[in-house]
């Protein structure tokens, strides 16, 4: 998703019944899911009875908060980068 636009992600999700998001840096993955609008597309999919699954970061970003990833101190929060979540409206 890091190179995709909102339009191309919407096309990818068109007609989709299930979504799986892989592992990685939780903050980086979450930023790109939000940036591309995939978060809303996933919510819409689930409202229609679709399925969502993820591994590691993909599972964590589906939760209420990202705090689950903080215990291990492995994920770089990207302070000052384009994917720094503190610089986004939803924080």
């Amino acid at each position: 998703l890091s190179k995709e636009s909102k339009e191309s992600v919407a096309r990818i999700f068109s007609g989709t019944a299930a979504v799986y998001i892989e592992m990685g840096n939780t903050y980086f993955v979450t930023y790109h899911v939000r940036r591309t609008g995939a978060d809303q597309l996933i919510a819409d999919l689930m409202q229609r009875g679709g399925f969502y699954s993820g591994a590691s970061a993909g599972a964590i970003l589906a939760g209420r908060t990202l705090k689950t990833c903080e215990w291990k101190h492995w994920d770089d929060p990207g302070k000052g980068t384009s994917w720094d979540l503190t610089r986004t409206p939803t924080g």
Side-chain angles (χ1 to χ4, degrees):
L1 288 176
S2 64
K3 296 180 183 177
E4 301 295 331
S5 68
K6 284 188 176 189
E7 296 77 21
S8 65
V9 171
R11 278 193 305 277
I12 292 167
F13 274 69
S14 176
T16 298
V19 173
Y20 171 80
I21 295 184
E22 188 59 76
M23 62 186 85
N25 180 312
T26 305
Y27 303 101
F28 182 83
V29 173
T30 300
Y31 170 78
H32 287 291
V33 166
R34 291 178 182 173
R35 180 189 62 77
T36 60
D39 55 344
Q40 187 58 56
L41 294 167
I42 291 167
D44 295 345
L45 169 71
M46 295 186 69
Q47 285 286 67
R48 296 190 313 269
F51 180 77
Y52 175 84
S53 181
S56 192
I60 292 170
L61 71 86
R64 187 174 303 265
T65 75
L66 300 181
K67 291 191 182 289
T68 303
C69 77
E70 293 177 358
W71 67 271
K72 62 183 177 175
H73 303 289
W74 289 350
D75 291 356
D76 175 2
K79 299 279 190 247
T81 66
S82 62
W83 49 273
D84 180 350
L85 294 177
T86 62
R87 297 170 60 190
T88 65
T90 55

